[in-house]
Amino acid sequence: KNNNGAVIRRLTVRSLKFNKKRNLFIIIAITLTTLLIGFVFSIGMSLVESVKMNQIRFAGTVAHAAVGHPTASQIEQLNALDYVKVVGTGNNVGFVKNTPEMGKISLTLHYFDKTEWEELRSLAYVDIEGNYPEKENEIMVPLAVLKRLGIDTPYIGMEIPLTYYTDSENKDALISESFRLSGWFTSYGFVQSMNTAGVILVSRELSQKYGKTVEKDGSATVMFDNSSRVLEYCKKLKQDLGVTENQPVVPAQLYDTDGGSARSSLIALSAMTAFLILTGYLLIYNVLYISVSRDVRFYGLLKTLGTTPKQIKRIVVGQILRLCLIGIPIGIILALLLSLKFVPFFISELGAVSTEAVVSFSPFIYLGAVVFPLLTAILGASKPAKKAAGTSPIEAQKYTGVEVKTKNTRSSVHGKPYKMAFRNIFRDKKRAGVVLLSLFLGVTTFLTVTTLVFSMDIAKYIEATFESDFVLGNSALPTQKFDKAFIDKLKSLPGFEALSVTTWEKMSLDYSPDAFGEYIANYPMQEQIANLTEKDIYENFRGFVLGVDGKILMKSSNTLDNPIDIDAFERGEFALIATDNPGLFSNVHELIITPSYRSENDNTGSQKIHIPLGGFVPFDYKDVGSGLAPTVLISNALMREWFSEPIVSKINLDVSGDYEQNALIALKQIMGKDYEISLTSKM
């Protein structure tokens, strides 16, 4: 019943001062455990936030649903509904007439009210500069659209001439006007539309000038109070608003935020956290176990003086708690710094998002980074503390740390030192097992972390990602942008080494339910083919045929489902299908292809060509996509047999290392202002 807490605290502090080397190891163990757990938590929370933000950016809004052509009274009703949190409106104002510099792009002029822009739209954009248009002659433009307009360096107030029409029924009533740029932003919706559709934002004054209204030309978008009940609320909106047939209530595209790559990544991160907790526990446990074993006689003397087992546990655990006060804050600071630098890279490598990663600063990250290492340290100290408290004073006096079991052994008189060392390690088999396990886990963690850190080399990443020094793409298919004259210019570039092309044409495949039934059953856009009959599918089973060089296919052999005979492929003895699920084509052994000839390259007429199926490549190989029929790959040699001059969709170009800068400058000169050609450079 004596109140000797002050004595226990003094003993705890003095024990810490006496064991400085041990304390250093424990602080390092706690710091590392906190650092790694905090970093893993940061990746997990940032992954969730990044996936959520990825969806918002591609949708172009944080709104949950839209109501088409709402009346003024319906907008008032929306604002009054208890389950509707935010209501914004917007409407179309006009359509921009394309110029040759723009290429094939659909640009519309659109107006958003203040609520729509500030609370629902701007959150989906990044790199916002300037302000939303207020005057009649002001516009706000996505950066990618500015580039299509030939503007690489925008500035506030710059003049941008546009020709547009306000009535889709009367496209000839053109209006030419010079606008002033009030701001710009990055829109991922423009990227998702394959850079073919974009929006230029205009002021309320311009919208009113042409008599545009939300009821005739726009919609109201809403954010609900509960994002998990979007579909339910959409049905409720239809009833509450009494919408007509020409007033669709459309939910925003729903994503499975807990599935796919995000779910598997979070499972992996959870497993990694458990692994780190176990590693930290064993590290702290080992250091304390050795320390307590060494100090057992000291604890025995304390018990002789009347110290209770509970008080001895308080001394051991109190030491660990004080060391946590040093190690955990250091670990959290290091985890924060590491997260800022490396979390975006890790999330990008996990492939869960297509836009910029978001680094989360959720308090749960740092709460977890405190709680888990603290629990790990207390658990690591609990058993040694129990051991210290459970040793009687008499046992403590003769304690050696080893349970001696007498048994008959035969050994040579002159024992070799390495044999003696080996026997000494395994005198206490339990302790030896724990030490070896912690060493194994520690080394594994160290190798994993160092491998990841030293692998984060942008030069290595680019080397692994890009096949060639330069890639030129034709974004104006089926127009031939890369004719023989163009390719000859490329071959005359300074330091030219090699060039290969990817060719592209349209074709149709002979469809049969036995061969392609499973493929159609698993077609990703089922809503588009739901009403098609077998006859409709047969008549519309069209897609693309790609031509590639065998050496390029060999270069990317890691993308192939199974190894193939490159020479046989070059000779045109078989074709490949682009798919991520080869099992859908288990009944397909031969493809019957009908090339879709253009008049300028008609070579053999619309005859059916039989070619064996010889393997598969990933669906996104060469980024061509597919039609209703899967995309087929054949050799360029065979393409030239089928088509006298197939369209070149992509060019891979390599130059000598010393000439990359000069080649890049020359390439830009060759391309000129042709915005239908894209250029990607390793540089």
Side-chain angles (χ1 to χ4, degrees):
K1 298 292 183 179
N2 291 338
N3 184 9
N4 52 11
V7 177
I8 298 301
R9 285 194 295 275
R10 194 153 58 242
L11 276 170
T12 302
V13 172
R14 287 179 177 176
S15 296
L16 280 174
K17 289 180 179 177
F18 181 73
N19 291 298
K20 290 181 180 178
K21 189 178 287 187
R22 179 207 66 174
N23 296 343
L24 178 63
F25 284 120
I26 292 176
I27 288 171
I28 291 172
I30 293 169
T31 300
L32 285 174
T33 304
T34 305
L35 164 64
L36 293 173
I37 289 175
F39 184 56
V40 170
F41 269 55
S42 180
I43 293 176
M45 296 295 290
S46 298
L47 179 65
V48 171
E49 288 297 316
S50 296
V51 169
K52 181 181 176 182
M53 203 64 218
N54 191 65
Q55 297 158 2
I56 288 171
R57 285 169 178 167
F58 277 127
T61 179
V62 297
H64 295 140
V67 181
H69 309 294
T71 63
S73 62
Q74 285 175 330
I75 293 173
E76 284 182 20
Q77 282 179 275
L78 282 172
N79 282 295
L81 292 171
D82 58 353
Y83 56 90
V84 174
K85 191 176 176 183
V86 181
V87 180
T89 61
N91 58 265
N92 178 270
V93 176
F95 307 87
V96 177
K97 180 176 172 57
N98 280 12
T99 63
E101 291 77 20
M102 293 182 196
K104 294 184 177 179
I105 182 173
S106 173
L107 289 178
T108 58
L109 303 177
H110 214 84
Y111 162 69
F112 295 136
D113 71 4
K114 186 176 180 181
T115 305
E116 177 82 8
W117 169 249
E118 292 181 356
E119 298 186 43
L120 299 177
R121 295 282 175 173
S122 61
L123 299 176
Y125 303 136
V126 296
D127 306 324
I128 298 175
E129 295 285 343
N131 300 300
Y132 190 86
E134 294 179 357
K135 297 179 181 177
E136 184 183 308
N137 68 335
E138 288 183 339
I139 57 173
M140 195 174 194
V141 189
L143 277 171
V145 173
L146 285 173
K147 288 184 179 179
R148 292 296 289 268
L149 295 172
I151 301 169
D152 292 321
T153 330
Y155 58 88
I156 301 297
M158 77 179 300
E159 296 279 338
I160 299 179
L162 291 176
T163 301
Y164 62 97
Y165 53 93
T166 59
D167 185 359
S168 58
E169 301 297 324
N170 187 10
K171 297 182 180 180
D172 295 327
L174 296 175
I175 304 164
S176 294
E177 190 173 345
S178 186
F179 289 91
R180 288 185 178 274
L181 188 64
S182 69
W184 57 85
F185 54 89
T186 297
S187 167
Y188 287 98
F190 184 72
V191 176
Q192 191 181 40
S193 68
M194 301 299 289
N195 298 342
T196 58
V199 174
I200 293 176
L201 305 183
V202 299
S203 65
R204 185 181 180 210
E205 287 187 16
L206 190 72
S207 178
Q208 290 179 333
K209 177 182 177 180
Y210 296 113
K212 300 293 181 176
T213 63
V214 174
E215 185 174 350
K216 290 190 302 178
D217 310 286
S219 62
T221 60
V222 297
M223 179 187 285
F224 299 121
D225 61 0
N226 190 336
S227 60
S228 64
R229 301 174 66 184
V230 171
L231 295 178
E232 176 191 336
Y233 284 155
C234 282
K235 291 178 182 176
K236 200 172 178 184
L237 270 184
K238 291 179 181 179
Q239 296 172 352
D240 292 345
L241 297 179
V243 295
T244 60
E245 288 184 4
N246 69 333
Q247 290 183 304
V249 177
V250 184
Q253 186 177 354
L254 294 176
Y255 297 89
D256 181 10
T257 54
D258 299 318
S261 59
R263 181 190 298 157
S264 60
S265 299
L266 286 173
I267 291 171
L269 291 170
S270 301
M272 195 184 298
T273 303
F275 176 82
L276 293 173
I277 289 172
L278 178 59
T279 306
Y281 164 78
L282 287 171
L283 191 55
I284 294 166
Y285 169 82
N286 270 302
V287 176
L288 277 177
Y289 188 90
I290 292 167
S291 172
V292 168
S293 297
R294 191 186 65 185
D295 296 338
V296 160
R297 294 184 186 186
F298 165 69
Y299 293 121
L301 286 171
L302 287 178
K303 291 188 78 172
T304 305
L305 294 171
T307 311
T308 65
K310 186 177 180 181
Q311 289 170 331
I312 289 177
K313 286 181 182 177
R314 280 177 59 193
I315 292 171
V316 177
V317 174
Q319 292 178 48
I320 259 311
L321 290 176
R322 284 165 172 79
L323 295 175
C324 283
L325 288 175
I326 300 171
I328 288 177
I330 295 172
I332 287 175
I333 293 169
L334 292 175
L336 175 62
L337 297 175
L338 198 66
S339 297
L340 288 171
K341 186 170 180 62
F342 294 123
V343 162
F345 176 86
F346 274 97
I347 291 176
S348 298
E349 285 298 285
L350 289 170
V353 297
S354 306
T355 63
E356 295 175 14
V358 177
V359 180
S360 174
F361 295 100
S362 168
F364 292 107
I365 295 172
Y366 304 102
L367 182 64
V370 171
V371 170
F372 282 97
L374 187 61
L375 290 175
T376 300
I378 292 172
L379 285 171
S382 61
K383 193 166 183 183
K386 188 177 179 183
K387 177 183 178 62
T391 306
S392 69
I394 302 299
E395 288 175 321
Q397 292 304 308
K398 58 181 181 179
Y399 180 78
T400 62
V402 180
E403 256 184 60
V404 179
K405 292 183 180 178
T406 307
K407 63 177 182 178
N408 293 324
T409 58
R410 296 190 56 158
S411 62
S412 58
V413 176
H414 303 288
K416 296 185 185 291
Y418 76 87
K419 289 185 177 178
M420 293 168 66
F422 190 78
R423 283 198 296 271
N424 195 44
I425 289 171
F426 290 100
R427 280 193 302 166
D428 187 339
K429 291 183 173 59
K430 182 179 178 183
R431 185 172 66 181
V434 171
V435 170
L436 291 174
L437 177 61
S438 62
L439 281 172
F440 167 76
L441 292 175
V443 171
T444 302
T445 306
F446 175 76
L447 288 175
T448 302
V449 171
T450 51
T451 301
L452 287 171
V453 169
F454 286 107
S455 295
M456 286 187 276
D457 185 338
I458 191 65
K460 290 178 182 175
Y461 172 76
I462 289 172
E463 282 296 327
T465 305
F466 292 91
E467 296 176 336
S468 307
D469 295 330
F470 302 98
V471 178
L472 286 86
N474 177 0
S475 57
L477 299 174
T479 304
Q480 181 70 284
K481 303 298 293 185
F482 304 132
D483 55 16
K484 187 177 183 301
F486 187 94
I487 291 173
D488 287 341
K489 287 180 185 177
L490 298 183
K491 290 179 179 177
S492 65
L493 285 171
F496 172 81
E497 283 188 344
L499 178 149
S500 65
V501 300
T502 302
T503 52
W504 174 96
E505 290 290 350
K506 294 180 180 179
M507 59 88 193
S508 59
L509 279 176
D510 271 20
Y511 171 80
S512 71
D514 292 338
F516 294 100
E518 197 170 352
Y519 164 76
I520 288 294
N522 290 274
Y523 191 71
M525 291 174 282
Q526 284 292 321
E527 67 278 3
Q528 293 186 6
I529 64 170
N531 298 320
L532 296 182
T533 64
E534 290 285 345
K535 183 182 178 184
D536 293 333
I537 294 172
Y538 182 88
E539 291 176 352
N540 293 280
F541 205 55
R542 304 188 191 99
F544 314 117
V545 57
L546 287 189
V548 296
D549 291 328
K551 61 183 178 181
I552 293 295
L553 203 58
M554 187 185 297
K555 200 173 180 180
S556 55
S557 57
N558 59 320
T559 66
L560 297 176
D561 183 62
N562 286 304
I564 65 167
D565 185 339
I566 296 295
D567 292 333
F569 176 79
E570 278 283 14
R571 293 192 297 269
E573 294 179 8
F574 59 84
L576 307 172
I577 282 180
T579 179
D580 291 328
N581 191 352
L584 300 179
F585 303 94
S586 56
N587 294 327
V588 181
H589 307 291
E590 184 183 61
L591 302 173
I592 305 173
I593 299 172
T594 306
S596 298
Y597 292 106
R598 292 170 288 116
S599 58
E600 66 269 24
N601 74 345
D602 193 342
N603 195 32
T604 59
S606 297
Q607 64 179 19
K608 292 183 184 294
I609 300 170
H610 295 249
I611 187 168
L613 175 61
F616 305 92
V617 294
F619 176 79
D620 59 358
Y621 186 69
K622 298 295 182 183
D623 302 317
V624 73
S626 72
L628 181 58
T631 295
V632 175
L633 269 78
I634 60 175
S635 68
N636 270 324
L638 192 56
M639 279 289 278
R640 285 188 288 271
E641 285 184 24
W642 291 6
F643 308 89
S644 58
E645 190 183 347
I647 294 170
V648 177
S649 63
K650 188 175 288 187
I651 296 177
N652 290 70
L653 179 67
D654 288 304
V655 297
S656 302
D658 298 337
Y659 290 93
E660 287 182 2
Q661 184 66 51
N662 292 337
L664 179 59
I665 294 169
L667 269 174
K668 288 182 177 179
Q669 290 175 346
I670 292 171
M671 290 167 56
K673 292 289 185 179
D674 194 334
Y675 295 100
E676 294 179 337
I677 298 176
S678 64
L679 171 64
T680 306
S681 163
K682 273 187 182 179
M683 295 182 64

